[in-house]
PDB file of all heavy atoms in Angstrom:
ATOM      1  N   MET A 175     -23.385  12.292   6.610  1.00  0.00           N
ATOM      2  CA  MET A 175     -21.929  12.459   6.529  1.00  0.00           C
ATOM      3  C   MET A 175     -21.246  11.092   6.542  1.00  0.00           C
ATOM      4  O   MET A 175     -20.298  10.844   5.787  1.00  0.00           O
ATOM      5  CB  MET A 175     -21.530  13.275   7.764  1.00  0.00           C
ATOM      6  CG  MET A 175     -20.188  13.919   7.730  1.00  0.00           C
ATOM      7  SD  MET A 175     -20.029  15.018   6.363  1.00  0.00           S
ATOM      8  CE  MET A 175     -18.422  14.482   5.888  1.00  0.00           C
ATOM      9  N   ARG A 176     -21.730  10.246   7.422  1.00  0.00           N
ATOM     10  CA  ARG A 176     -21.163   8.909   7.551  1.00  0.00           C
ATOM     11  C   ARG A 176     -21.350   8.130   6.242  1.00  0.00           C
ATOM     12  O   ARG A 176     -20.402   7.540   5.719  1.00  0.00           O
ATOM     13  CB  ARG A 176     -21.858   8.172   8.696  1.00  0.00           C
ATOM     14  CG  ARG A 176     -21.237   6.856   9.059  1.00  0.00           C
ATOM     15  CD  ARG A 176     -22.156   6.061   9.970  1.00  0.00           C
ATOM     16  NE  ARG A 176     -22.654   6.881  11.093  1.00  0.00           N
ATOM     17  CZ  ARG A 176     -23.796   6.643  11.728  1.00  0.00           C
ATOM     18  NH1 ARG A 176     -24.582   5.638  11.368  1.00  0.00           N
ATOM     19  NH2 ARG A 176     -24.182   7.425  12.719  1.00  0.00           N
ATOM     20  N   ASP A 177     -22.567   8.178   5.718  1.00  0.00           N
ATOM     21  CA  ASP A 177     -22.823   7.457   4.464  1.00  0.00           C
ATOM     22  C   ASP A 177     -21.965   8.004   3.328  1.00  0.00           C
ATOM     23  O   ASP A 177     -21.419   7.250   2.525  1.00  0.00           O
ATOM     24  CB  ASP A 177     -24.307   7.573   4.085  1.00  0.00           C
ATOM     25  CG  ASP A 177     -25.185   6.851   5.095  1.00  0.00           C
ATOM     26  OD1 ASP A 177     -24.641   5.998   5.835  1.00  0.00           O
ATOM     27  OD2 ASP A 177     -26.399   7.149   5.162  1.00  0.00           O
ATOM     28  N   LEU A 178     -21.854   9.337   3.325  1.00  0.00           N
ATOM     29  CA  LEU A 178     -21.053   9.978   2.280  1.00  0.00           C
ATOM     30  C   LEU A 178     -19.600   9.508   2.374  1.00  0.00           C
ATOM     31  O   LEU A 178     -18.982   9.134   1.376  1.00  0.00           O
ATOM     32  CB  LEU A 178     -21.136  11.494   2.456  1.00  0.00           C
ATOM     33  CG  LEU A 178     -20.407  12.330   1.428  1.00  0.00           C
ATOM     34  CD1 LEU A 178     -21.027  12.124   0.068  1.00  0.00           C
ATOM     35  CD2 LEU A 178     -20.461  13.806   1.811  1.00  0.00           C
ATOM     36  N   THR A 179     -19.068   9.549   3.604  1.00  0.00           N
ATOM     37  CA  THR A 179     -17.686   9.122   3.801  1.00  0.00           C
ATOM     38  C   THR A 179     -17.502   7.684   3.342  1.00  0.00           C
ATOM     39  O   THR A 179     -16.533   7.348   2.666  1.00  0.00           O
ATOM     40  CB  THR A 179     -17.309   9.237   5.288  1.00  0.00           C
ATOM     41  OG1 THR A 179     -17.762  10.496   5.763  1.00  0.00           O
ATOM     42  CG2 THR A 179     -15.816   9.141   5.473  1.00  0.00           C
ATOM     43  N   ARG A 180     -18.445   6.852   3.717  1.00  0.00           N
ATOM     44  CA  ARG A 180     -18.327   5.443   3.330  1.00  0.00           C
ATOM     45  C   ARG A 180     -18.369   5.264   1.825  1.00  0.00           C
ATOM     46  O   ARG A 180     -17.600   4.499   1.258  1.00  0.00           O
ATOM     47  CB  ARG A 180     -19.454   4.636   3.969  1.00  0.00           C
ATOM     48  CG  ARG A 180     -19.161   4.307   5.412  1.00  0.00           C
ATOM     49  CD  ARG A 180     -20.193   3.340   5.925  1.00  0.00           C
ATOM     50  NE  ARG A 180     -19.943   3.011   7.316  1.00  0.00           N
ATOM     51  CZ  ARG A 180     -20.895   2.788   8.200  1.00  0.00           C
ATOM     52  NH1 ARG A 180     -22.166   2.873   7.835  1.00  0.00           N
ATOM     53  NH2 ARG A 180     -20.585   2.484   9.439  1.00  0.00           N
ATOM     54  N   SER A 181     -19.283   5.995   1.175  1.00  0.00           N
ATOM     55  CA  SER A 181     -19.373   5.793  -0.271  1.00  0.00           C
ATOM     56  C   SER A 181     -18.126   6.328  -0.962  1.00  0.00           C
ATOM     57  O   SER A 181     -17.659   5.761  -1.943  1.00  0.00           O
ATOM     58  CB  SER A 181     -20.639   6.434  -0.823  1.00  0.00           C
ATOM     59  OG  SER A 181     -20.538   7.824  -0.744  1.00  0.00           O
ATOM     60  N   LEU A 182     -17.568   7.425  -0.397  1.00  0.00           N
ATOM     61  CA  LEU A 182     -16.321   7.932  -0.977  1.00  0.00           C
ATOM     62  C   LEU A 182     -15.205   6.920  -0.801  1.00  0.00           C
ATOM     63  O   LEU A 182     -14.424   6.656  -1.711  1.00  0.00           O
ATOM     64  CB  LEU A 182     -15.938   9.260  -0.317  1.00  0.00           C
ATOM     65  CG  LEU A 182     -16.806  10.449  -0.685  1.00  0.00           C
ATOM     66  CD1 LEU A 182     -16.506  11.624   0.229  1.00  0.00           C
ATOM     67  CD2 LEU A 182     -16.577  10.845  -2.130  1.00  0.00           C
ATOM     68  N   ALA A 183     -15.141   6.344   0.408  1.00  0.00           N
ATOM     69  CA  ALA A 183     -14.103   5.352   0.682  1.00  0.00           C
ATOM     70  C   ALA A 183     -14.264   4.161  -0.244  1.00  0.00           C
ATOM     71  O   ALA A 183     -13.284   3.617  -0.762  1.00  0.00           O
ATOM     72  CB  ALA A 183     -14.165   4.923   2.138  1.00  0.00           C
ATOM     73  N   ALA A 184     -15.516   3.782  -0.453  1.00  0.00           N
ATOM     74  CA  ALA A 184     -15.765   2.644  -1.342  1.00  0.00           C
ATOM     75  C   ALA A 184     -15.312   2.966  -2.755  1.00  0.00           C
ATOM     76  O   ALA A 184     -14.889   2.081  -3.508  1.00  0.00           O
ATOM     77  CB  ALA A 184     -17.245   2.296  -1.329  1.00  0.00           C
ATOM     78  N   ALA A 185     -15.389   4.261  -3.106  1.00  0.00           N
ATOM     79  CA  ALA A 185     -14.957   4.659  -4.448  1.00  0.00           C
ATOM     80  C   ALA A 185     -13.443   4.841  -4.513  1.00  0.00           C
ATOM     81  O   ALA A 185     -12.914   5.297  -5.518  1.00  0.00           O
ATOM     82  CB  ALA A 185     -15.657   5.947  -4.852  1.00  0.00           C
ATOM     83  N   GLY A 186     -12.755   4.551  -3.401  1.00  0.00           N
ATOM     84  CA  GLY A 186     -11.296   4.584  -3.429  1.00  0.00           C
ATOM     85  C   GLY A 186     -10.673   5.869  -2.921  1.00  0.00           C
ATOM     86  O   GLY A 186      -9.472   6.068  -3.043  1.00  0.00           O
ATOM     87  N   VAL A 187     -11.488   6.762  -2.334  1.00  0.00           N
ATOM     88  CA  VAL A 187     -10.936   8.001  -1.796  1.00  0.00           C
ATOM     89  C   VAL A 187     -10.347   7.723  -0.410  1.00  0.00           C
ATOM     90  O   VAL A 187     -10.965   7.037   0.402  1.00  0.00           O
ATOM     91  CB  VAL A 187     -12.038   9.076  -1.675  1.00  0.00           C
ATOM     92  CG1 VAL A 187     -11.489  10.351  -1.077  1.00  0.00           C
ATOM     93  CG2 VAL A 187     -12.659   9.339  -3.029  1.00  0.00           C
ATOM     94  N   THR A 188      -9.153   8.229  -0.176  1.00  0.00           N
ATOM     95  CA  THR A 188      -8.555   8.119   1.152  1.00  0.00           C
ATOM     96  C   THR A 188      -9.079   9.275   1.992  1.00  0.00           C
ATOM     97  O   THR A 188      -9.125  10.405   1.521  1.00  0.00           O
ATOM     98  CB  THR A 188      -7.026   8.202   1.060  1.00  0.00           C
ATOM     99  OG1 THR A 188      -6.589   7.244   0.096  1.00  0.00           O
ATOM    100  CG2 THR A 188      -6.382   7.941   2.390  1.00  0.00           C
ATOM    101  N   VAL A 189      -9.494   8.979   3.214  1.00  0.00           N
ATOM    102  CA  VAL A 189     -10.090  10.027   4.036  1.00  0.00           C
ATOM    103  C   VAL A 189      -9.339  10.142   5.361  1.00  0.00           C
ATOM    104  O   VAL A 189      -9.073   9.136   6.019  1.00  0.00           O
ATOM    105  CB  VAL A 189     -11.576   9.714   4.330  1.00  0.00           C
ATOM    106  CG1 VAL A 189     -12.198  10.842   5.134  1.00  0.00           C
ATOM    107  CG2 VAL A 189     -12.355   9.504   3.043  1.00  0.00           C
ATOM    108  N   LEU A 190      -8.980  11.373   5.704  1.00  0.00           N
ATOM    109  CA  LEU A 190      -8.450  11.644   7.039  1.00  0.00           C
ATOM    110  C   LEU A 190      -9.490  12.511   7.735  1.00  0.00           C
ATOM    111  O   LEU A 190      -9.852  13.576   7.262  1.00  0.00           O
ATOM    112  CB  LEU A 190      -7.109  12.381   6.965  1.00  0.00           C
ATOM    113  CG  LEU A 190      -6.512  12.779   8.301  1.00  0.00           C
ATOM    114  CD1 LEU A 190      -6.169  11.565   9.138  1.00  0.00           C
ATOM    115  CD2 LEU A 190      -5.257  13.634   8.121  1.00  0.00           C
ATOM    116  N   LEU A 191      -9.949  12.019   8.877  1.00  0.00           N
ATOM    117  CA  LEU A 191     -11.131  12.600   9.498  1.00  0.00           C
ATOM    118  C   LEU A 191     -10.827  12.913  10.945  1.00  0.00           C
ATOM    119  O   LEU A 191     -10.448  12.014  11.703  1.00  0.00           O
ATOM    120  CB  LEU A 191     -12.229  11.542   9.404  1.00  0.00           C
ATOM    121  CG  LEU A 191     -13.615  11.844   9.876  1.00  0.00           C
ATOM    122  CD1 LEU A 191     -14.261  12.812   8.914  1.00  0.00           C
ATOM    123  CD2 LEU A 191     -14.424  10.560   9.906  1.00  0.00           C
ATOM    124  N   SER A 192     -10.960  14.183  11.346  1.00  0.00           N
ATOM    125  CA  SER A 192     -10.812  14.448  12.773  1.00  0.00           C
ATOM    126  C   SER A 192     -12.190  14.721  13.342  1.00  0.00           C
ATOM    127  O   SER A 192     -13.038  15.316  12.683  1.00  0.00           O
ATOM    128  CB  SER A 192      -9.884  15.637  12.999  1.00  0.00           C
ATOM    129  OG  SER A 192     -10.624  16.783  13.334  1.00  0.00           O
ATOM    130  N   SER A 193     -12.414  14.209  14.524  1.00  0.00           N
ATOM    131  CA  SER A 193     -13.729  14.389  15.118  1.00  0.00           C
ATOM    132  C   SER A 193     -13.647  14.143  16.611  1.00  0.00           C
ATOM    133  O   SER A 193     -12.741  13.480  17.100  1.00  0.00           O
ATOM    134  CB  SER A 193     -14.721  13.417  14.488  1.00  0.00           C
ATOM    135  OG  SER A 193     -15.962  13.522  15.119  1.00  0.00           O
ATOM    136  N   HIS A 194     -14.613  14.710  17.320  1.00  0.00           N
ATOM    137  CA  HIS A 194     -14.706  14.436  18.752  1.00  0.00           C
ATOM    138  C   HIS A 194     -15.803  13.432  19.032  1.00  0.00           C
ATOM    139  O   HIS A 194     -16.024  13.059  20.173  1.00  0.00           O
ATOM    140  CB  HIS A 194     -14.961  15.722  19.524  1.00  0.00           C
ATOM    141  CG  HIS A 194     -13.791  16.647  19.501  1.00  0.00           C
ATOM    142  ND1 HIS A 194     -12.575  16.298  20.027  1.00  0.00           N
ATOM    143  CD2 HIS A 194     -13.637  17.893  19.003  1.00  0.00           C
ATOM    144  CE1 HIS A 194     -11.720  17.302  19.857  1.00  0.00           C
ATOM    145  NE2 HIS A 194     -12.344  18.279  19.237  1.00  0.00           N
ATOM    146  N   ILE A 195     -16.523  13.037  17.983  1.00  0.00           N
ATOM    147  CA  ILE A 195     -17.597  12.064  18.193  1.00  0.00           C
ATOM    148  C   ILE A 195     -16.997  10.681  17.997  1.00  0.00           C
ATOM    149  O   ILE A 195     -16.897  10.169  16.883  1.00  0.00           O
ATOM    150  CB  ILE A 195     -18.752  12.319  17.213  1.00  0.00           C
ATOM    151  CG1 ILE A 195     -19.143  13.792  17.274  1.00  0.00           C
ATOM    152  CG2 ILE A 195     -19.928  11.430  17.555  1.00  0.00           C
ATOM    153  CD1 ILE A 195     -20.192  14.178  16.261  1.00  0.00           C
ATOM    154  N   LEU A 196     -16.577  10.086  19.120  1.00  0.00           N
ATOM    155  CA  LEU A 196     -15.765   8.883  19.008  1.00  0.00           C
ATOM    156  C   LEU A 196     -16.559   7.691  18.512  1.00  0.00           C
ATOM    157  O   LEU A 196     -16.039   6.851  17.786  1.00  0.00           O
ATOM    158  CB  LEU A 196     -15.117   8.577  20.358  1.00  0.00           C
ATOM    159  CG  LEU A 196     -14.173   9.697  20.790  1.00  0.00           C
ATOM    160  CD1 LEU A 196     -13.610   9.414  22.167  1.00  0.00           C
ATOM    161  CD2 LEU A 196     -13.059   9.862  19.792  1.00  0.00           C
ATOM    162  N   ALA A 197     -17.822   7.626  18.879  1.00  0.00           N
ATOM    163  CA  ALA A 197     -18.643   6.521  18.401  1.00  0.00           C
ATOM    164  C   ALA A 197     -18.699   6.563  16.882  1.00  0.00           C
ATOM    165  O   ALA A 197     -18.674   5.530  16.204  1.00  0.00           O
ATOM    166  CB  ALA A 197     -20.040   6.623  18.985  1.00  0.00           C
ATOM    167  N   GLU A 198     -18.753   7.784  16.363  1.00  0.00           N
ATOM    168  CA  GLU A 198     -18.804   7.994  14.930  1.00  0.00           C
ATOM    169  C   GLU A 198     -17.519   7.491  14.264  1.00  0.00           C
ATOM    170  O   GLU A 198     -17.548   6.769  13.267  1.00  0.00           O
ATOM    171  CB  GLU A 198     -18.969   9.503  14.698  1.00  0.00           C
ATOM    172  CG  GLU A 198     -19.392   9.904  13.335  1.00  0.00           C
ATOM    173  CD  GLU A 198     -20.697   9.260  12.891  1.00  0.00           C
ATOM    174  OE1 GLU A 198     -21.548   8.989  13.758  1.00  0.00           O
ATOM    175  OE2 GLU A 198     -20.827   9.015  11.685  1.00  0.00           O
ATOM    176  N   ILE A 199     -16.403   7.880  14.855  1.00  0.00           N
ATOM    177  CA  ILE A 199     -15.100   7.451  14.329  1.00  0.00           C
ATOM    178  C   ILE A 199     -15.017   5.932  14.334  1.00  0.00           C
ATOM    179  O   ILE A 199     -14.583   5.307  13.369  1.00  0.00           O
ATOM    180  CB  ILE A 199     -13.964   8.041  15.206  1.00  0.00           C
ATOM    181  CG1 ILE A 199     -13.920   9.549  15.050  1.00  0.00           C
ATOM    182  CG2 ILE A 199     -12.635   7.410  14.841  1.00  0.00           C
ATOM    183  CD1 ILE A 199     -13.241  10.029  13.812  1.00  0.00           C
ATOM    184  N   GLN A 200     -15.491   5.362  15.441  1.00  0.00           N
ATOM    185  CA  GLN A 200     -15.424   3.911  15.541  1.00  0.00           C
ATOM    186  C   GLN A 200     -16.268   3.247  14.446  1.00  0.00           C
ATOM    187  O   GLN A 200     -15.928   2.187  13.943  1.00  0.00           O
ATOM    188  CB  GLN A 200     -15.898   3.458  16.924  1.00  0.00           C
ATOM    189  CG  GLN A 200     -15.329   2.117  17.306  1.00  0.00           C
ATOM    190  CD  GLN A 200     -15.597   1.754  18.757  1.00  0.00           C
ATOM    191  OE1 GLN A 200     -15.986   2.614  19.562  1.00  0.00           O
ATOM    192  NE2 GLN A 200     -15.390   0.503  19.094  1.00  0.00           N
ATOM    193  N   LEU A 201     -17.350   3.911  14.092  1.00  0.00           N
ATOM    194  CA  LEU A 201     -18.211   3.357  13.044  1.00  0.00           C
ATOM    195  C   LEU A 201     -17.600   3.490  11.648  1.00  0.00           C
ATOM    196  O   LEU A 201     -17.736   2.598  10.825  1.00  0.00           O
ATOM    197  CB  LEU A 201     -19.561   4.085  13.045  1.00  0.00           C
ATOM    198  CG  LEU A 201     -20.595   3.596  14.044  1.00  0.00           C
ATOM    199  CD1 LEU A 201     -21.813   4.499  13.982  1.00  0.00           C
ATOM    200  CD2 LEU A 201     -20.984   2.160  13.727  1.00  0.00           C
ATOM    201  N   ILE A 202     -16.987   4.638  11.386  1.00  0.00           N
ATOM    202  CA  ILE A 202     -16.538   4.893  10.012  1.00  0.00           C
ATOM    203  C   ILE A 202     -15.112   4.447   9.742  1.00  0.00           C
ATOM    204  O   ILE A 202     -14.806   3.980   8.659  1.00  0.00           O
ATOM    205  CB  ILE A 202     -16.573   6.398   9.667  1.00  0.00           C
ATOM    206  CG1 ILE A 202     -17.848   7.066  10.154  1.00  0.00           C
ATOM    207  CG2 ILE A 202     -16.451   6.607   8.181  1.00  0.00           C
ATOM    208  CD1 ILE A 202     -17.855   8.543   9.897  1.00  0.00           C
ATOM    209  N   CYS A 203     -14.222   4.660  10.751  1.00  0.00           N
ATOM    210  CA  CYS A 203     -12.799   4.580  10.428  1.00  0.00           C
ATOM    211  C   CYS A 203     -12.249   3.171  10.566  1.00  0.00           C
ATOM    212  O   CYS A 203     -12.660   2.417  11.444  1.00  0.00           O
ATOM    213  CB  CYS A 203     -12.013   5.505  11.350  1.00  0.00           C
ATOM    214  SG  CYS A 203     -12.471   7.206  11.113  1.00  0.00           S
ATOM    215  N   ASP A 204     -11.288   2.840   9.709  1.00  0.00           N
ATOM    216  CA  ASP A 204     -10.602   1.570   9.891  1.00  0.00           C
ATOM    217  C   ASP A 204      -9.287   1.753  10.622  1.00  0.00           C
ATOM    218  O   ASP A 204      -8.786   0.831  11.236  1.00  0.00           O
ATOM    219  CB  ASP A 204     -10.409   0.863   8.546  1.00  0.00           C
ATOM    220  CG  ASP A 204      -9.958   1.807   7.456  1.00  0.00           C
ATOM    221  OD1 ASP A 204      -9.084   2.646   7.737  1.00  0.00           O
ATOM    222  OD2 ASP A 204     -10.512   1.726   6.338  1.00  0.00           O
ATOM    223  N   HIS A 205      -8.720   2.969  10.537  1.00  0.00           N
ATOM    224  CA  HIS A 205      -7.474   3.251  11.255  1.00  0.00           C
ATOM    225  C   HIS A 205      -7.641   4.510  12.103  1.00  0.00           C
ATOM    226  O   HIS A 205      -8.465   5.362  11.771  1.00  0.00           O
ATOM    227  CB  HIS A 205      -6.323   3.479  10.272  1.00  0.00           C
ATOM    228  CG  HIS A 205      -5.842   2.222   9.619  1.00  0.00           C
ATOM    229  ND1 HIS A 205      -6.605   1.513   8.730  1.00  0.00           N
ATOM    230  CD2 HIS A 205      -4.670   1.542   9.746  1.00  0.00           C
ATOM    231  CE1 HIS A 205      -5.939   0.444   8.318  1.00  0.00           C
ATOM    232  NE2 HIS A 205      -4.757   0.431   8.924  1.00  0.00           N
ATOM    233  N   VAL A 206      -6.845   4.610  13.154  1.00  0.00           N
ATOM    234  CA  VAL A 206      -6.858   5.849  13.941  1.00  0.00           C
ATOM    235  C   VAL A 206      -5.452   6.260  14.317  1.00  0.00           C
ATOM    236  O   VAL A 206      -4.539   5.424  14.389  1.00  0.00           O
ATOM    237  CB  VAL A 206      -7.635   5.734  15.281  1.00  0.00           C
ATOM    238  CG1 VAL A 206      -9.119   5.761  15.061  1.00  0.00           C
ATOM    239  CG2 VAL A 206      -7.180   4.550  16.087  1.00  0.00           C
ATOM    240  N   THR A 207      -5.309   7.561  14.555  1.00  0.00           N
ATOM    241  CA  THR A 207      -4.119   8.096  15.197  1.00  0.00           C
ATOM    242  C   THR A 207      -4.628   8.996  16.296  1.00  0.00           C
ATOM    243  O   THR A 207      -5.517   9.815  16.067  1.00  0.00           O
ATOM    244  CB  THR A 207      -3.268   8.901  14.198  1.00  0.00           C
ATOM    245  OG1 THR A 207      -2.754   8.011  13.217  1.00  0.00           O
ATOM    246  CG2 THR A 207      -2.115   9.593  14.909  1.00  0.00           C
ATOM    247  N   ILE A 208      -4.094   8.811  17.487  1.00  0.00           N
ATOM    248  CA  ILE A 208      -4.526   9.649  18.603  1.00  0.00           C
ATOM    249  C   ILE A 208      -3.375  10.567  18.989  1.00  0.00           C
ATOM    250  O   ILE A 208      -2.235  10.122  19.146  1.00  0.00           O
ATOM    251  CB  ILE A 208      -4.980   8.788  19.800  1.00  0.00           C
ATOM    252  CG1 ILE A 208      -6.135   7.876  19.351  1.00  0.00           C
ATOM    253  CG2 ILE A 208      -5.429   9.673  20.953  1.00  0.00           C
ATOM    254  CD1 ILE A 208      -6.699   7.002  20.444  1.00  0.00           C
ATOM    255  N   ILE A 209      -3.691  11.846  19.099  1.00  0.00           N
ATOM    256  CA  ILE A 209      -2.672  12.841  19.441  1.00  0.00           C
ATOM    257  C   ILE A 209      -3.031  13.418  20.805  1.00  0.00           C
ATOM    258  O   ILE A 209      -4.205  13.602  21.140  1.00  0.00           O
ATOM    259  CB  ILE A 209      -2.606  13.943  18.360  1.00  0.00           C
ATOM    260  CG1 ILE A 209      -1.510  14.961  18.654  1.00  0.00           C
ATOM    261  CG2 ILE A 209      -3.944  14.641  18.213  1.00  0.00           C
ATOM    262  CD1 ILE A 209      -1.326  16.008  17.553  1.00  0.00           C
TER     263      ILE A 209
END
Side-chain angles (χ1 to χ4, degrees):
Chain A
M175 197 58 224
R176 188 193 311 154
D177 294 341
L178 182 64
T179 314
R180 280 189 180 145
S181 69
L182 288 169
V187 178
T188 308
V189 182
L190 177 64
L191 184 71
S192 104
S193 176
H194 291 299
I195 309 175
L196 298 176
E198 195 57 31
I199 293 281
Q200 204 170 346
L201 277 175
I202 316 177
C203 297
D204 43 43
H205 286 68
V206 284
T207 294
I208 301 181
I209 183 175

